[in-house]
């Protein structure tokens, strides 16, 4: 087991190097001069522009810029944004907010989705199952910004139950509404996935054996059916956690959440290379860790899966 | 749990009744209602640069800098300059200015606000190696250089409260510029560590930072009243919190949801509804933003000759500005009648030749045919470049269609993905089409809309326009000390522009905004930013 984990971590190094290189290249290849955009519609004088270029190393060829950046990272220096804040500080400020939001959304979608999916699966074809199908189809087919705007309008403005946007420091109570919005789509998918998996598991031999042995439904459903049905659901939810951590740009924008997605979006618009690359590097790291955790979870859920040294 | 909740409810009730009682009390006396200690919340955006006056050139940081610092002057709601730190600004020839400042003023850290603090700050802002984005503001002062580090020899400290400024050549509107943030003073301590200063600036203005870490990046910044400020912008509230929004939609939702007091930018999506949403708390008035599209003279058929002038005039008359501002912008733009803005002193909507900005399809067709007689247009395409990350597609398409339908030529928009990319193509002159241009004035004067944009070789003269008569009139207007005379010269200069049309004026942007029910006395300044100090909150 330890050897397996060690090998996986070793494998992550070339992946990280490769992705930072690619991302840096793409930011570099972005057309337009970010420094010119700093001046708005006004044209700066060439001497000043030249000095700013030198300061941000924008006058160097791509490969030099990349190695300067890599060298900085090794010294713990991720660079600075145009507003003078170290990128490491931005990372430390935004990731906790997004992680909090992602955990809340994950909790909502997983608990809600598995419960409803389980009941649907056990009562296949009944009224509950049919209505769960309709509701989940509605959520799957709606784009997230529609859900976000409607949620903001109804719960924030009309009813006043939640703050319209997230206030400074992103306290938990402000994040509830965005978390529900984020959870809504995956929630519906988890319902469908759990339902299908439960139906399949129910018809397997070991379940029939368990009934045959005279075990009660109260024991068979959670221990035999649910546990074995969860494997695909856990994989899905864990990958989704990665997506939640990096892809909540739209929702974070609408609810003004000071998290990763919103900050990254702004950095891309402003052409701040160091910020973009550092964020994406951390995101890749998170993806790698999440994937490793998922693989290890399999072993816990299904003892037949063993890790080869 | 239940008991606690009840307890909190009881406290809240008590507090509410106390508030109601004090409200009654102040209502019956002569003092204005509304507590002066309430902090207002206003929308902002994360400043793009450190908070140093000479390095802040966008509104996100600008509104904070203007609240934290007091310059020689400030601009009132009409855009007229009022003395702030200065006691007097005198000149005989519009070239040498004697500036006296009020005695015994200090920054919030105790450093004196004296002549030296202004001169040092300007020297710092102008020096090339300091890489300040606003350095061009000092270009007219003697000694300034764009190409090398060179001290401003035109600045001389006479005594602690007096200094003189000598310009390279007369600039009648120089005193008018002194309210802009580039001319603010800096405390001595700033120069020890400018990076740290930019994160937690120390000023002399109506407000100060609530604490050293009041700037919470990407979230908000908290300002409280600076009791030592004695100028004309004495705050009527207890402070301002600027909440940084990534999108205008989020800010607007907060205004409707009651979490925001003052909003200065209504999102496009709410143009149709905000006036009914907000009622008399909605604001929609022209601002100092001028929108146009520029046709560089190097384009075929648009040279500085008879044909070029005819085609430019025909294009201008082919655009139905009234309909486009009505339909596309729902009345949040005002059709242009000159090259400046209605909020500027000296503006006129009846310049000679301003008819060329009126929709006149018959005349447009006639002029276009005359131009065709000189040199046939053929199948050439007419394109207007714009950046598609800025919400410009709607009006560019509408303008193109208006041209296409009137003149029967192939006209369309030419999108660039980002603002940076478009600016790059314009700056290095590789762009081969007309392109959208906009100008937000730095200070409320006619010259600022004309000099930097259309004077020969001026910094933002993106179309490379050059007309000696125009340059001469600008020069004449700049050298006189009489404002009315100066404005007269500038208006004559504009009449030349209306003939040459280096850019086709389209409209003035309006400032659209609103406020919550809990605040009153919300007024917008000439630069579209609310006068936060005057807002009262109950």
């Amino acid at each position: 087991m330890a050897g397996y984990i060690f090998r996986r971590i070793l494998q992550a190094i070339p992946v990280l190097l490769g992705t930072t290189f690619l991302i840096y290249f793409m930011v570099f290849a972005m057309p337009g001069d970010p420094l010119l955009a700093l001046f708005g519609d006004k044209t700066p004088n060439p001497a000043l522009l030249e000095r700013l270029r030198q300061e941000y190393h924008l006058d160097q060829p791509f490969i030099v810029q990349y190695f300067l950046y890599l060298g900085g990272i090794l010294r713990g220096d991720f660079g600075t944004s145009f507003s003078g804040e170290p990128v490491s500080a931005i990372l430390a400020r935004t990731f906790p907010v997004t992680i909090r939001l992602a955990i809340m959304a994950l909790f909502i979608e997983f608990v809600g989705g598995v419960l409803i999916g389980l009941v649907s699966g056990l009562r296949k074809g009944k009224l509950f199952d049919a209505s769960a199908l309709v509701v989940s189809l509605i959520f799957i087919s709606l784009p997230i910004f529609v859900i976000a705007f409607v949620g903001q309008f109804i719960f924030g403005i009309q009813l006043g139950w939640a703050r319209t946007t997230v206030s400074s420091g992103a306290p938990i109570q402000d994040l509830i509404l965005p978390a529900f919005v984020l959870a809504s789509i995956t929630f519906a998918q988890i319902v469908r996935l759990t339902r299908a998996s439960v139906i399949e598991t129910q018809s397997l031999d070991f379940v029939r054996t368990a009934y045959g042995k005279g075990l009660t439904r109260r024991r068979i459903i959670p221990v035999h059916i649910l546990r074995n049905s969860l494997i695909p659901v856990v994989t899905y939810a864990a990958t989704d956690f990665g997506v939640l951590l990096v892809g909540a740009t739209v929702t974070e924008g609408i609810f003004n959440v000071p998290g990763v997605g919103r900050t990254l979006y702004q950095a891309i618009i402003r052409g701040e290379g160091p910020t973009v690359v550092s964020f994406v590097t951390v995101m890749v790291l998170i993806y790698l860790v999440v994937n490793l955790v998922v693989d290890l979870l399999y072993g816990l859920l299904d003892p037949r899966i063993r890790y080869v040294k | 749990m239940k008991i606690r909740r009840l307890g909190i409810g009881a406290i809240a009730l008590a507090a509410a009744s106390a508030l109601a009682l004090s409200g009654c009390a102040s209502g019956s006396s002569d003092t204005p209602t509304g507590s002066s200690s309430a902090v207002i919340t206003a929308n902002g955006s994360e400043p793009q640069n450190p908070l140093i006056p000479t390095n802040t050139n966008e509104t996100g940081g600008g509104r904070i800098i203007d609240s934290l610092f007091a310059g020689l002057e400030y601009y009132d709601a009409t855009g007229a300059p009022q003395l702030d730190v200065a006691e007097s600004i005198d000149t005989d020839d519009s070239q040498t200015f004697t500036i006296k400042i009020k005695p015994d003023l200090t920054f919030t850290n105790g450093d004196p606000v004296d002549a030296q603090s202004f001169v040092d700050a300007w020297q710092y802002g102008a020096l090339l190696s300091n890489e300040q984005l606003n350095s061009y503001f000092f270009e007219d002062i003697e000694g300034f250089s764009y190409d090398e580090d060179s001290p401003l020899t035109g600045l001389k400290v006479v005594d602690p409260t007096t200094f003189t400024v000598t310009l390279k050549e007369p600039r009648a509107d120089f005193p008018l510029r002194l309210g802009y943030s580039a001319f603010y003073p800096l405390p001595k301590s700033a120069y020890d560590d400018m990076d740290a200063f930019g994160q937690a600036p120390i000023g002399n203005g109506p407000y100060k930072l609530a604490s050293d870490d009041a700037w919470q990046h990407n979230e908000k910044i908290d300002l409280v009243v600076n009791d030592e400020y004695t100028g004309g912008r004495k705050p009527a509230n207890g402070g301002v919190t600027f909440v940084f929004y990534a999108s205008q939609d989020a800010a607007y939702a907060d205004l409707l949801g009651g979490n925001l007091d003052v909003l200065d930018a209504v999102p496009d999506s709410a143009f149709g509804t905000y006036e009914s949403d907000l009622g008399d708390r909605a604001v929609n008035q022209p601002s100092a933003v001028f929108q146009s599209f520029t046709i560089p003279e190097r384009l075929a058929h648009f040279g500085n000759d008879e044909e070029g002038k005819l085609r430019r005039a025909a294009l201008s008359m082919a655009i139905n500005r009234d309909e486009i501002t009505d339909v596309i912008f729902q009345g949040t733009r005002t059709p242009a009648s000159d090259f400046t803005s209605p909020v500027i002193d000296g503006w006129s909507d009846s310049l000679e030749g301003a008819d060329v900005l009126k929709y006149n399809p018959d005349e447009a067709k006639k002029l276009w045919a005359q131009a065709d007689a000189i040199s046939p247009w053929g199948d050439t395409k007419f394109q207007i470049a714009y950046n598609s990350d800025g919400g410009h597609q709607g009006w560019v398409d509408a303008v193109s269609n208006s041209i296409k339908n009137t003149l029967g030529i192939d006209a369309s928009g030419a999108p660039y993905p980002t603002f940076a990319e478009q600016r790059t193509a314009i700056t290095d002159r590789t762009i081969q089409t007309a392109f959208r241009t906009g100008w937000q004035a730095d200070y409320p004067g006619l010259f600022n809309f004309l000099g930097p944009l259309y004077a020969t070789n001026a910094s933002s003269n993106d179309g490379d326009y050059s007309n000696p008569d125009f340059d001469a009139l600008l020069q004449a207007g700049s050298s006189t000390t009489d404002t009315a005379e100066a404005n007269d010269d500038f208006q004559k200069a504009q009449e030349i522009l209306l003939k040459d049309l280096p850019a086709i004026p389209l409209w003035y942007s309006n400032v659209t905004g609103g406020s919550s029910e809990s605040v009153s006395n919300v007024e917008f300044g000439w630069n579209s930013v609310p006068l936060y100090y005057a807002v009262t909150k109950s």
Side-chain angles (χ1 to χ4, degrees):
Chain A
M1 183 83 163
Y4 175 78
I5 295 176
F6 180 71
R7 229 183 36 217
R8 286 286 297 261
I9 290 174
L10 269 190
Q11 280 171 359
I13 293 173
V15 174
L16 260 184
L17 276 179
T19 40
T20 51
F21 182 82
L22 277 180
I23 297 295
Y24 211 96
F25 179 73
M26 284 193 260
V27 173
F28 181 85
M30 251 169 39
D33 186 339
L35 291 179
L36 272 182
L38 268 186
F39 290 87
D41 281 322
K42 288 160 189 158
T43 312
N45 80 80
L48 175 61
L49 203 58
E50 200 44 50
R51 293 199 70 106
L52 284 169
R53 281 221 174 90
Q54 279 167 20
E55 184 182 330
Y56 292 102
H57 304 300
L58 290 173
D59 54 339
Q60 308 276 0
F62 160 69
I63 199 78
V64 177
Q65 284 191 43
Y66 176 67
F67 279 110
L68 279 172
Y69 172 75
L70 263 194
I73 287 190
L74 290 180
R75 279 180 276 117
D77 172 15
F78 284 87
T80 11
S81 70
F82 285 144
S83 69
E85 200 190 9
V87 175
S88 50
I90 305 180
L91 287 169
R93 180 163 52 75
T94 53
F95 265 99
V97 174
T98 297
I99 289 175
R100 204 179 316 157
L101 180 63
I103 290 176
M104 288 170 69
L106 189 71
F107 180 78
I108 294 168
E109 70 190 32
F110 193 79
V111 172
V114 166
L115 273 181
I116 295 180
L118 178 66
V119 177
S120 278
L122 294 174
R123 303 182 169 197
K124 193 177 100 180
K126 302 269 170 56
L127 180 66
F128 183 89
D129 184 32
S131 27
L133 174 71
V134 172
V135 173
S136 53
L137 276 181
I138 291 175
F139 276 112
I140 289 176
S141 51
L142 277 179
I144 192 147
F145 68 88
V146 173
I147 302 177
F149 276 125
V150 170
Q152 188 182 47
F153 185 72
I154 294 179
F155 297 106
I157 296 175
Q158 297 291 80
L159 298 174
W161 290 356
R163 262 187 71 103
T164 36
T165 65
V166 173
S167 59
S168 162
I172 302 245
Q173 68 268 27
D174 286 4
L175 289 175
I176 293 174
L177 181 58
F180 266 99
V181 169
L182 268 182
S184 61
I185 288 176
T186 345
F187 158 79
Q189 259 146 7
I190 287 185
V191 168
R192 310 301 308 151
L193 205 58
T194 313
R195 176 183 176 274
S197 189
V198 164
I199 290 172
E200 197 191 314
T201 315
Q202 257 185 310
S203 62
L204 290 181
D205 289 345
F206 71 88
V207 176
R208 287 213 305 264
T209 313
Y211 277 118
K213 280 201 299 187
L215 291 181
T216 57
R217 273 174 71 87
R218 285 184 60 177
R219 171 126 185 103
I220 294 173
I221 292 173
V223 177
H224 295 271
I225 297 181
L226 186 60
R227 186 171 164 189
N228 283 291
S229 310
L230 275 186
I231 295 175
V233 181
V234 166
T235 322
Y236 183 79
T239 340
D240 183 57
F241 186 60
V243 175
L244 284 177
L245 282 181
V246 302
T249 315
V250 174
T251 315
E252 287 193 359
I254 291 171
F255 291 102
N256 211 38
V257 183
V260 172
R262 206 191 88 181
T263 313
L264 182 65
Y265 175 76
Q266 245 173 14
I268 293 175
I269 292 295
R270 291 181 180 181
E272 296 184 340
T275 316
V276 177
V277 182
S278 304
F279 267 75
V280 176
T281 309
V282 175
M283 288 173 175
V284 172
L285 256 178
I286 290 177
Y287 248 97
L288 291 174
V289 171
V290 166
N291 270 315
L292 179 59
V293 170
V294 171
D295 287 351
L296 296 178
L297 267 182
Y298 282 155
L300 290 178
L301 288 171
D302 187 348
R304 284 172 303 181
I305 298 173
R306 288 280 175 273
Y307 299 101
V308 191
K309 270 223 168 128
Chain B
M1 195 62 215
K2 213 160 194 177
I3 293 168
R4 266 189 70 192
R5 202 181 292 159
L6 192 71
I8 292 170
I11 292 167
L13 196 70
S17 52
L19 276 178
L21 285 173
S22 66
C24 283
S26 65
S28 59
S29 70
D30 291 352
T31 51
T33 47
S35 127
S36 68
S37 62
V39 173
I40 57 170
T41 54
N43 71 304
S45 56
E46 167 78 1
Q48 246 174 45
N49 307 292
L51 290 173
I52 299 167
T54 46
N55 206 27
T56 295
N57 66 346
E58 42 83 47
T59 56
R63 68 188 66 205
I64 301 169
I65 291 281
D66 286 339
S67 302
L68 291 177
F69 288 87
L72 296 167
E73 301 169 337
Y74 68 92
Y75 303 114
D76 64 16
T78 63
Q82 305 288 341
L83 296 180
D84 203 341
V85 171
E87 202 161 72
S88 64
I89 301 170
D90 297 311
T91 183
D92 297 325
D93 55 2
S94 287
Q95 185 160 11
T96 304
F97 297 83
T98 306
I99 297 169
K100 277 197 190 318
I101 62 176
K102 292 172 187 158
D104 304 325
L105 297 176
T106 55
F107 291 94
T108 53
N109 68 346
D111 283 356
V113 179
D114 53 13
Q116 196 68 44
S117 65
F118 278 95
V119 169
D120 288 348
W122 297 9
Q123 295 281 14
Y124 178 86
L127 206 65
L128 175 63
S129 57
N130 289 334
E131 300 170 1
Q132 299 294 293
L133 300 182
N134 285 333
S135 61
Y136 67 95
F137 267 89
F138 305 101
E139 66 182 354
D140 288 326
I141 298 177
E142 215 173 67
F144 182 86
S145 166
Y146 276 125
D147 308 313
E148 55 181 357
D149 276 356
S150 128
L152 299 175
T153 49
L155 299 181
K156 294 230 162 47
V157 176
V158 178
D159 62 54
T161 57
T162 315
F163 68 106
T164 59
V165 184
T166 310
L167 304 183
K168 290 173 178 166
E169 51 190 344
R171 284 278 180 258
D173 67 354
F174 185 73
L176 191 56
R177 303 178 194 180
L178 294 173
Y180 188 70
S181 55
F183 294 103
Y184 289 165
L186 288 178
K188 277 198 185 65
S189 57
Y191 306 101
D192 300 339
D193 185 351
M194 203 48 99
D195 289 340
F197 185 81
Q199 299 300 309
I202 292 157
N204 60 332
Y207 295 96
K208 59 183 178 184
L209 294 185
S211 64
D212 278 350
D213 50 4
W215 182 6
Q216 293 173 263
H217 284 272
N218 261 307
E219 290 185 21
K220 61 167 185 170
I221 189 165
D222 293 311
L223 309 184
V224 294
V225 170
N226 171 18
D227 292 323
E228 283 158 50
Y229 174 76
T230 53
R233 291 185 290 155
K234 200 81 191 149
N237 46 55
V240 186
T241 293
F242 292 107
V243 182
F244 303 148
Y245 290 96
S247 78
Q248 295 177 352
D249 288 290
Y252 187 69
D254 258 1
L255 180 70
L256 295 184
N259 299 322
L260 189 72
D261 291 327
V262 183
L263 175 81
D264 73 346
V266 171
D268 303 0
S269 58
F271 276 172
T273 56
Y274 81 100
E275 280 175 320
S276 59
D277 284 347
L278 298 174
D280 58 359
R281 292 177 290 122
V283 173
N284 182 12
Q285 60 190 49
S287 74
V289 179
F290 167 78
Q291 307 273 2
S292 58
F293 64 87
T294 297
I295 312 173
E297 285 182 7
R298 61 179 181 278
L299 296 192
H301 300 291
F302 288 105
N304 189 10
D305 51 21
E306 187 62 26
E307 187 205 354
K309 280 184 199 173
L310 285 170
R311 294 215 188 274
R312 286 162 194 268
L315 285 176
S316 178
M317 285 194 251
I319 301 165
N320 192 341
R321 293 174 180 75
D322 290 320
E323 192 177 290
I324 295 171
T325 50
D326 232 40
V327 175
I328 306 277
F329 293 115
Q330 319 217 14
T332 61
R333 301 285 188 279
T334 308
S337 50
D338 77 336
F339 288 82
T340 64
S341 156
V343 299
I344 304 299
D345 179 42
W347 174 82
S348 159
D349 62 353
S350 49
L351 294 175
E352 192 191 316
D355 292 347
V356 78
L357 305 181
K358 295 252 154 52
Y359 180 54
N360 189 344
D362 297 334
E363 185 69 13
K365 279 183 201 128
K366 207 177 91 194
L367 295 182
W368 194 260
Q370 284 174 15
D372 274 345
I374 299 172
S375 160
W377 176 258
D379 294 334
T380 319
K381 265 188 189 167
F382 181 75
Q383 289 195 302
I384 302 172
Y386 63 95
N387 49 310
S388 49
D389 60 352
H392 297 293
Q393 191 188 355
W395 71 257
V396 172
D397 285 350
V399 166
S400 308
N401 284 334
S402 194
I403 292 172
K404 184 160 51 178
N405 295 338
T406 310
L407 301 178
I409 60 171
D410 184 0
S412 62
Y416 280 79
T418 61
F419 181 58
E421 197 178 350
Q422 194 207 2
R423 282 313 302 175
T424 308
I426 292 172
T427 310
D428 63 19
R429 304 289 190 256
T430 53
I431 197 160
Q432 289 305 327
T433 61
F435 48 86
R436 76 152 197 100
T437 34
W439 187 259
Q440 172 154 29
D442 294 317
Y443 59 91
L446 292 176
F447 179 83
N448 188 237
F449 283 91
L450 306 174
L453 289 167
Y454 312 111
T456 305
N457 291 329
S459 56
S460 292
N461 188 344
D462 295 328
D464 293 323
Y465 173 72
S466 172
N467 184 329
D469 297 339
F470 174 78
D471 292 348
L473 279 167
L474 277 192
Q475 192 62 35
S478 292
S479 357
T480 167
T481 49
D482 182 59
T483 319
E485 207 177 300
N487 283 345
D488 200 42
D489 284 330
F490 295 145
Q491 296 302 29
K492 280 192 198 127
Q494 279 214 69
E495 285 167 1
I496 294 181
L497 291 185
L498 285 168
K499 290 196 192 92
D500 291 351
L501 291 173
I504 312 285
L506 293 170
W507 38 73
Y508 318 113
S509 289
N510 287 13
V511 46
T512 53
S515 53
S516 73
E517 271 158 3
S518 58
V519 293
S520 48
N521 210 15
V522 179
E523 229 186 329
F524 281 70
W526 73 278
N527 60 350
S528 320
V529 177
L531 305 175
Y532 298 110
Y533 60 88
V535 176
T536 53
K537 183 172 182 178
S538 53

